[in-house]
PDB file of all heavy atoms in Angstrom:
ATOM      1  N   TRP K 665     135.820  49.801 113.893  1.00  0.00           N
ATOM      2  CA  TRP K 665     134.998  49.052 114.830  1.00  0.00           C
ATOM      3  C   TRP K 665     135.107  49.695 116.206  1.00  0.00           C
ATOM      4  O   TRP K 665     136.119  50.323 116.536  1.00  0.00           O
ATOM      5  CB  TRP K 665     135.474  47.601 114.946  1.00  0.00           C
ATOM      6  CG  TRP K 665     135.201  46.747 113.749  1.00  0.00           C
ATOM      7  CD1 TRP K 665     134.489  47.090 112.636  1.00  0.00           C
ATOM      8  CD2 TRP K 665     135.643  45.407 113.553  1.00  0.00           C
ATOM      9  NE1 TRP K 665     134.450  46.050 111.753  1.00  0.00           N
ATOM     10  CE2 TRP K 665     135.145  44.987 112.292  1.00  0.00           C
ATOM     11  CE3 TRP K 665     136.380  44.498 114.309  1.00  0.00           C
ATOM     12  CZ2 TRP K 665     135.372  43.719 111.781  1.00  0.00           C
ATOM     13  CZ3 TRP K 665     136.616  43.234 113.800  1.00  0.00           C
ATOM     14  CH2 TRP K 665     136.112  42.848 112.555  1.00  0.00           C
ATOM     15  N   GLY K 666     134.058  49.529 116.979  1.00  0.00           N
ATOM     16  CA  GLY K 666     134.125  49.942 118.368  1.00  0.00           C
ATOM     17  C   GLY K 666     134.866  48.903 119.193  1.00  0.00           C
ATOM     18  O   GLY K 666     135.398  47.915 118.672  1.00  0.00           O
ATOM     19  N   ASP K 667     134.905  49.128 120.502  1.00  0.00           N
ATOM     20  CA  ASP K 667     135.563  48.171 121.393  1.00  0.00           C
ATOM     21  C   ASP K 667     134.707  46.928 121.550  1.00  0.00           C
ATOM     22  O   ASP K 667     133.473  46.998 121.670  1.00  0.00           O
ATOM     23  CB  ASP K 667     135.804  48.810 122.762  1.00  0.00           C
ATOM     24  CG  ASP K 667     136.780  49.976 122.683  1.00  0.00           C
ATOM     25  OD1 ASP K 667     137.649  49.949 121.791  1.00  0.00           O
ATOM     26  OD2 ASP K 667     136.656  50.908 123.503  1.00  0.00           O
ATOM     27  N   ALA K 668     135.381  45.780 121.535  1.00  0.00           N
ATOM     28  CA  ALA K 668     134.660  44.518 121.709  1.00  0.00           C
ATOM     29  C   ALA K 668     134.201  44.398 123.155  1.00  0.00           C
ATOM     30  O   ALA K 668     135.020  44.432 124.081  1.00  0.00           O
ATOM     31  CB  ALA K 668     135.555  43.356 121.329  1.00  0.00           C
ATOM     32  N   PRO K 669     132.888  44.259 123.418  1.00  0.00           N
ATOM     33  CA  PRO K 669     132.405  44.143 124.804  1.00  0.00           C
ATOM     34  C   PRO K 669     132.699  42.764 125.379  1.00  0.00           C
ATOM     35  O   PRO K 669     132.829  41.776 124.639  1.00  0.00           O
ATOM     36  CB  PRO K 669     130.896  44.374 124.664  1.00  0.00           C
ATOM     37  CG  PRO K 669     130.577  43.911 123.276  1.00  0.00           C
ATOM     38  CD  PRO K 669     131.783  44.236 122.438  1.00  0.00           C
ATOM     39  N   ALA K 670     132.801  42.714 126.688  1.00  0.00           N
ATOM     40  CA  ALA K 670     132.965  41.423 127.356  1.00  0.00           C
ATOM     41  C   ALA K 670     131.664  40.643 127.280  1.00  0.00           C
ATOM     42  O   ALA K 670     130.573  41.207 127.151  1.00  0.00           O
ATOM     43  CB  ALA K 670     133.384  41.632 128.811  1.00  0.00           C
ATOM     44  N   ALA K 671     131.786  39.336 127.335  1.00  0.00           N
ATOM     45  CA  ALA K 671     130.617  38.465 127.291  1.00  0.00           C
ATOM     46  C   ALA K 671     130.893  37.264 128.180  1.00  0.00           C
ATOM     47  O   ALA K 671     132.055  36.916 128.438  1.00  0.00           O
ATOM     48  CB  ALA K 671     130.320  38.016 125.855  1.00  0.00           C
ATOM     49  N   PRO K 672     129.850  36.622 128.685  1.00  0.00           N
ATOM     50  CA  PRO K 672     130.070  35.423 129.525  1.00  0.00           C
ATOM     51  C   PRO K 672     130.825  34.349 128.747  1.00  0.00           C
ATOM     52  O   PRO K 672     130.544  34.098 127.577  1.00  0.00           O
ATOM     53  CB  PRO K 672     128.644  34.964 129.848  1.00  0.00           C
ATOM     54  CG  PRO K 672     127.790  36.156 129.647  1.00  0.00           C
ATOM     55  CD  PRO K 672     128.422  36.946 128.549  1.00  0.00           C
ATOM     56  N   ARG K 673     131.801  33.749 129.387  1.00  0.00           N
ATOM     57  CA  ARG K 673     132.527  32.661 128.745  1.00  0.00           C
ATOM     58  C   ARG K 673     131.641  31.421 128.690  1.00  0.00           C
ATOM     59  O   ARG K 673     130.954  31.088 129.655  1.00  0.00           O
ATOM     60  CB  ARG K 673     133.805  32.341 129.516  1.00  0.00           C
ATOM     61  CG  ARG K 673     134.819  33.467 129.520  1.00  0.00           C
ATOM     62  CD  ARG K 673     136.070  33.060 130.287  1.00  0.00           C
ATOM     63  NE  ARG K 673     137.000  34.163 130.400  1.00  0.00           N
ATOM     64  CZ  ARG K 673     137.914  34.475 129.507  1.00  0.00           C
ATOM     65  NH1 ARG K 673     138.033  33.723 128.424  1.00  0.00           N
ATOM     66  NH2 ARG K 673     138.717  35.496 129.674  1.00  0.00           N
ATOM     67  N   ALA K 674     131.675  30.776 127.553  1.00  0.00           N
ATOM     68  CA  ALA K 674     130.882  29.564 127.390  1.00  0.00           C
ATOM     69  C   ALA K 674     131.627  28.607 126.478  1.00  0.00           C
ATOM     70  O   ALA K 674     132.292  29.027 125.528  1.00  0.00           O
ATOM     71  CB  ALA K 674     129.510  29.897 126.809  1.00  0.00           C
ATOM     72  N   ASP K 675     131.515  27.325 126.768  1.00  0.00           N
ATOM     73  CA  ASP K 675     132.132  26.295 125.931  1.00  0.00           C
ATOM     74  C   ASP K 675     131.198  26.014 124.759  1.00  0.00           C
ATOM     75  O   ASP K 675     130.589  24.944 124.655  1.00  0.00           O
ATOM     76  CB  ASP K 675     132.364  25.040 126.767  1.00  0.00           C
ATOM     77  CG  ASP K 675     133.172  23.986 126.026  1.00  0.00           C
ATOM     78  OD1 ASP K 675     133.889  24.366 125.082  1.00  0.00           O
ATOM     79  OD2 ASP K 675     133.068  22.791 126.384  1.00  0.00           O
ATOM     80  N   ARG K 676     131.144  27.006 123.850  1.00  0.00           N
ATOM     81  CA  ARG K 676     130.144  26.962 122.783  1.00  0.00           C
ATOM     82  C   ARG K 676     130.757  27.462 121.479  1.00  0.00           C
ATOM     83  O   ARG K 676     131.466  28.473 121.470  1.00  0.00           O
ATOM     84  CB  ARG K 676     128.944  27.815 123.179  1.00  0.00           C
ATOM     85  CG  ARG K 676     127.771  27.788 122.193  1.00  0.00           C
ATOM     86  CD  ARG K 676     126.561  28.447 122.851  1.00  0.00           C
ATOM     87  NE  ARG K 676     125.404  28.421 121.965  1.00  0.00           N
ATOM     88  CZ  ARG K 676     125.069  29.430 121.152  1.00  0.00           C
ATOM     89  NH1 ARG K 676     125.806  30.541 121.130  1.00  0.00           N
ATOM     90  NH2 ARG K 676     124.016  29.335 120.374  1.00  0.00           N
ATOM     91  N   LEU K 677     130.494  26.765 120.414  1.00  0.00           N
ATOM     92  CA  LEU K 677     131.005  27.121 119.094  1.00  0.00           C
ATOM     93  C   LEU K 677     129.828  27.373 118.162  1.00  0.00           C
ATOM     94  O   LEU K 677     128.955  26.511 118.003  1.00  0.00           O
ATOM     95  CB  LEU K 677     131.887  25.997 118.540  1.00  0.00           C
ATOM     96  CG  LEU K 677     132.444  26.196 117.123  1.00  0.00           C
ATOM     97  CD1 LEU K 677     133.445  27.345 117.100  1.00  0.00           C
ATOM     98  CD2 LEU K 677     133.091  24.911 116.613  1.00  0.00           C
ATOM     99  N   VAL K 678     129.845  28.543 117.538  1.00  0.00           N
ATOM    100  CA  VAL K 678     128.796  28.917 116.590  1.00  0.00           C
ATOM    101  C   VAL K 678     129.394  28.901 115.196  1.00  0.00           C
ATOM    102  O   VAL K 678     130.391  29.585 114.938  1.00  0.00           O
ATOM    103  CB  VAL K 678     128.221  30.309 116.921  1.00  0.00           C
ATOM    104  CG1 VAL K 678     127.129  30.681 115.922  1.00  0.00           C
ATOM    105  CG2 VAL K 678     127.680  30.338 118.349  1.00  0.00           C
ATOM    106  N   VAL K 679     128.822  28.129 114.277  1.00  0.00           N
ATOM    107  CA  VAL K 679     129.364  27.967 112.936  1.00  0.00           C
ATOM    108  C   VAL K 679     128.263  28.191 111.913  1.00  0.00           C
ATOM    109  O   VAL K 679     127.155  27.648 112.047  1.00  0.00           O
ATOM    110  CB  VAL K 679     129.975  26.558 112.737  1.00  0.00           C
ATOM    111  CG1 VAL K 679     130.464  26.381 111.308  1.00  0.00           C
ATOM    112  CG2 VAL K 679     131.118  26.332 113.715  1.00  0.00           C
ATOM    113  N   ARG K 680     128.584  28.979 110.895  1.00  0.00           N
ATOM    114  CA  ARG K 680     127.694  29.181 109.753  1.00  0.00           C
ATOM    115  C   ARG K 680     128.516  28.949 108.489  1.00  0.00           C
ATOM    116  O   ARG K 680     129.602  29.512 108.336  1.00  0.00           O
ATOM    117  CB  ARG K 680     127.100  30.599 109.737  1.00  0.00           C
ATOM    118  CG  ARG K 680     126.358  30.986 111.016  1.00  0.00           C
ATOM    119  CD  ARG K 680     125.036  30.247 111.123  1.00  0.00           C
ATOM    120  NE  ARG K 680     124.272  30.656 112.295  1.00  0.00           N
ATOM    121  CZ  ARG K 680     124.287  29.999 113.450  1.00  0.00           C
ATOM    122  NH1 ARG K 680     125.034  28.910 113.586  1.00  0.00           N
ATOM    123  NH2 ARG K 680     123.561  30.427 114.471  1.00  0.00           N
ATOM    124  N   THR K 681     128.030  28.115 107.589  1.00  0.00           N
ATOM    125  CA  THR K 681     128.780  27.820 106.375  1.00  0.00           C
ATOM    126  C   THR K 681     127.893  27.901 105.144  1.00  0.00           C
ATOM    127  O   THR K 681     126.691  27.660 105.196  1.00  0.00           O
ATOM    128  CB  THR K 681     129.414  26.416 106.427  1.00  0.00           C
ATOM    129  OG1 THR K 681     128.385  25.437 106.420  1.00  0.00           O
ATOM    130  CG2 THR K 681     130.288  26.239 107.642  1.00  0.00           C
ATOM    131  N   THR K 682     128.546  28.230 104.034  1.00  0.00           N
ATOM    132  CA  THR K 682     127.922  28.187 102.712  1.00  0.00           C
ATOM    133  C   THR K 682     128.907  27.531 101.761  1.00  0.00           C
ATOM    134  O   THR K 682     130.030  28.024 101.589  1.00  0.00           O
ATOM    135  CB  THR K 682     127.580  29.599 102.213  1.00  0.00           C
ATOM    136  OG1 THR K 682     126.707  30.244 103.149  1.00  0.00           O
ATOM    137  CG2 THR K 682     126.899  29.537 100.865  1.00  0.00           C
ATOM    138  N   GLY K 683     128.512  26.428 101.174  1.00  0.00           N
ATOM    139  CA  GLY K 683     129.361  25.763 100.195  1.00  0.00           C
ATOM    140  C   GLY K 683     130.520  24.993 100.784  1.00  0.00           C
ATOM    141  O   GLY K 683     131.365  24.503 100.038  1.00  0.00           O
ATOM    142  N   ILE K 684     130.594  24.848 102.095  1.00  0.00           N
ATOM    143  CA  ILE K 684     131.689  24.140 102.753  1.00  0.00           C
ATOM    144  C   ILE K 684     131.273  22.698 103.011  1.00  0.00           C
ATOM    145  O   ILE K 684     130.212  22.443 103.588  1.00  0.00           O
ATOM    146  CB  ILE K 684     132.090  24.814 104.073  1.00  0.00           C
ATOM    147  CG1 ILE K 684     132.610  26.226 103.812  1.00  0.00           C
ATOM    148  CG2 ILE K 684     133.129  23.992 104.818  1.00  0.00           C
ATOM    149  CD1 ILE K 684     133.932  26.289 103.088  1.00  0.00           C
ATOM    150  N   ALA K 685     132.127  21.751 102.607  1.00  0.00           N
ATOM    151  CA  ALA K 685     131.834  20.339 102.824  1.00  0.00           C
ATOM    152  C   ALA K 685     132.474  19.799 104.097  1.00  0.00           C
ATOM    153  O   ALA K 685     131.931  18.890 104.721  1.00  0.00           O
ATOM    154  CB  ALA K 685     132.316  19.519 101.627  1.00  0.00           C
ATOM    155  N   ALA K 686     133.638  20.332 104.478  1.00  0.00           N
ATOM    156  CA  ALA K 686     134.336  19.822 105.657  1.00  0.00           C
ATOM    157  C   ALA K 686     135.162  20.932 106.284  1.00  0.00           C
ATOM    158  O   ALA K 686     135.655  21.830 105.582  1.00  0.00           O
ATOM    159  CB  ALA K 686     135.220  18.641 105.285  1.00  0.00           C
ATOM    160  N   ALA K 687     135.315  20.859 107.599  1.00  0.00           N
ATOM    161  CA  ALA K 687     136.125  21.827 108.340  1.00  0.00           C
ATOM    162  C   ALA K 687     136.587  21.196 109.636  1.00  0.00           C
ATOM    163  O   ALA K 687     135.898  20.342 110.203  1.00  0.00           O
ATOM    164  CB  ALA K 687     135.341  23.096 108.621  1.00  0.00           C
ATOM    165  N   THR K 688     137.746  21.611 110.098  1.00  0.00           N
ATOM    166  CA  THR K 688     138.280  21.154 111.377  1.00  0.00           C
ATOM    167  C   THR K 688     138.563  22.360 112.259  1.00  0.00           C
ATOM    168  O   THR K 688     139.137  23.353 111.799  1.00  0.00           O
ATOM    169  CB  THR K 688     139.562  20.329 111.179  1.00  0.00           C
ATOM    170  OG1 THR K 688     139.254  19.152 110.427  1.00  0.00           O
ATOM    171  CG2 THR K 688     140.171  19.927 112.509  1.00  0.00           C
ATOM    172  N   VAL K 689     138.153  22.260 113.522  1.00  0.00           N
ATOM    173  CA  VAL K 689     138.363  23.330 114.501  1.00  0.00           C
ATOM    174  C   VAL K 689     139.387  22.856 115.516  1.00  0.00           C
ATOM    175  O   VAL K 689     139.255  21.763 116.083  1.00  0.00           O
ATOM    176  CB  VAL K 689     137.048  23.698 115.212  1.00  0.00           C
ATOM    177  CG1 VAL K 689     137.305  24.722 116.315  1.00  0.00           C
ATOM    178  CG2 VAL K 689     136.025  24.222 114.224  1.00  0.00           C
ATOM    179  N   ASP K 690     140.433  23.631 115.729  1.00  0.00           N
ATOM    180  CA  ASP K 690     141.418  23.312 116.751  1.00  0.00           C
ATOM    181  C   ASP K 690     140.884  23.783 118.100  1.00  0.00           C
ATOM    182  O   ASP K 690     140.809  24.985 118.361  1.00  0.00           O
ATOM    183  CB  ASP K 690     142.751  23.992 116.436  1.00  0.00           C
ATOM    184  CG  ASP K 690     143.844  23.606 117.410  1.00  0.00           C
ATOM    185  OD1 ASP K 690     143.922  24.232 118.490  1.00  0.00           O
ATOM    186  OD2 ASP K 690     144.607  22.677 117.119  1.00  0.00           O
ATOM    187  N   ALA K 691     140.504  22.830 118.932  1.00  0.00           N
ATOM    188  CA  ALA K 691     139.836  23.172 120.189  1.00  0.00           C
ATOM    189  C   ALA K 691     140.733  23.985 121.107  1.00  0.00           C
ATOM    190  O   ALA K 691     140.283  24.923 121.762  1.00  0.00           O
ATOM    191  CB  ALA K 691     139.372  21.898 120.887  1.00  0.00           C
ATOM    192  N   ARG K 692     142.016  23.628 121.147  1.00  0.00           N
ATOM    193  CA  ARG K 692     142.912  24.335 122.071  1.00  0.00           C
ATOM    194  C   ARG K 692     143.010  25.810 121.687  1.00  0.00           C
ATOM    195  O   ARG K 692     142.874  26.685 122.536  1.00  0.00           O
ATOM    196  CB  ARG K 692     144.295  23.694 122.051  1.00  0.00           C
ATOM    197  CG  ARG K 692     145.302  24.409 122.947  1.00  0.00           C
ATOM    198  CD  ARG K 692     146.685  23.800 122.799  1.00  0.00           C
ATOM    199  NE  ARG K 692     146.707  22.422 123.259  1.00  0.00           N
ATOM    200  CZ  ARG K 692     147.773  21.623 123.149  1.00  0.00           C
ATOM    201  NH1 ARG K 692     148.880  22.071 122.584  1.00  0.00           N
ATOM    202  NH2 ARG K 692     147.735  20.385 123.590  1.00  0.00           N
ATOM    203  N   ARG K 693     143.248  26.103 120.414  1.00  0.00           N
ATOM    204  CA  ARG K 693     143.416  27.495 119.997  1.00  0.00           C
ATOM    205  C   ARG K 693     142.103  28.261 120.023  1.00  0.00           C
ATOM    206  O   ARG K 693     142.096  29.488 120.166  1.00  0.00           O
ATOM    207  CB  ARG K 693     144.054  27.532 118.612  1.00  0.00           C
ATOM    208  CG  ARG K 693     145.491  27.007 118.616  1.00  0.00           C
ATOM    209  CD  ARG K 693     146.066  26.916 117.223  1.00  0.00           C
ATOM    210  NE  ARG K 693     146.086  28.212 116.573  1.00  0.00           N
ATOM    211  CZ  ARG K 693     146.337  28.402 115.282  1.00  0.00           C
ATOM    212  NH1 ARG K 693     146.558  27.348 114.500  1.00  0.00           N
ATOM    213  NH2 ARG K 693     146.344  29.606 114.765  1.00  0.00           N
ATOM    214  N   ALA K 694     140.972  27.558 119.880  1.00  0.00           N
ATOM    215  CA  ALA K 694     139.667  28.207 120.001  1.00  0.00           C
ATOM    216  C   ALA K 694     139.196  28.260 121.454  1.00  0.00           C
ATOM    217  O   ALA K 694     138.090  28.730 121.720  1.00  0.00           O
ATOM    218  CB  ALA K 694     138.638  27.470 119.155  1.00  0.00           C
ATOM    219  N   ARG K 695     140.021  27.739 122.375  1.00  0.00           N
ATOM    220  CA  ARG K 695     139.764  27.746 123.821  1.00  0.00           C
ATOM    221  C   ARG K 695     138.518  26.936 124.184  1.00  0.00           C
ATOM    222  O   ARG K 695     137.812  27.252 125.148  1.00  0.00           O
ATOM    223  CB  ARG K 695     139.645  29.183 124.353  1.00  0.00           C
ATOM    224  CG  ARG K 695     140.849  30.050 124.050  1.00  0.00           C
ATOM    225  CD  ARG K 695     140.764  31.401 124.709  1.00  0.00           C
ATOM    226  NE  ARG K 695     141.835  32.274 124.274  1.00  0.00           N
ATOM    227  CZ  ARG K 695     142.031  33.514 124.712  1.00  0.00           C
ATOM    228  NH1 ARG K 695     141.185  34.035 125.607  1.00  0.00           N
ATOM    229  NH2 ARG K 695     143.027  34.248 124.261  1.00  0.00           N
ATOM    230  N   LEU K 696     138.261  25.917 123.429  1.00  0.00           N
ATOM    231  CA  LEU K 696     137.094  25.078 123.645  1.00  0.00           C
ATOM    232  C   LEU K 696     137.502  23.747 124.263  1.00  0.00           C
ATOM    233  O   LEU K 696     138.664  23.330 124.193  1.00  0.00           O
ATOM    234  CB  LEU K 696     136.383  24.818 122.314  1.00  0.00           C
ATOM    235  CG  LEU K 696     135.807  26.036 121.598  1.00  0.00           C
ATOM    236  CD1 LEU K 696     135.427  25.674 120.170  1.00  0.00           C
ATOM    237  CD2 LEU K 696     134.601  26.605 122.361  1.00  0.00           C
TER     238      LEU K 696
END
Side-chain angles (χ1 to χ4, degrees):
W665 289 354
D667 295 331
R673 295 181 185 273
D675 188 22
R676 184 169 181 265
L677 177 67
V678 180
V679 177
R680 304 288 183 264
T681 66
T682 302
I684 297 291
T688 297
V689 175
D690 185 276
R692 178 185 296 175
R693 293 174 60 191
R695 304 186 187 182
L696 297 167

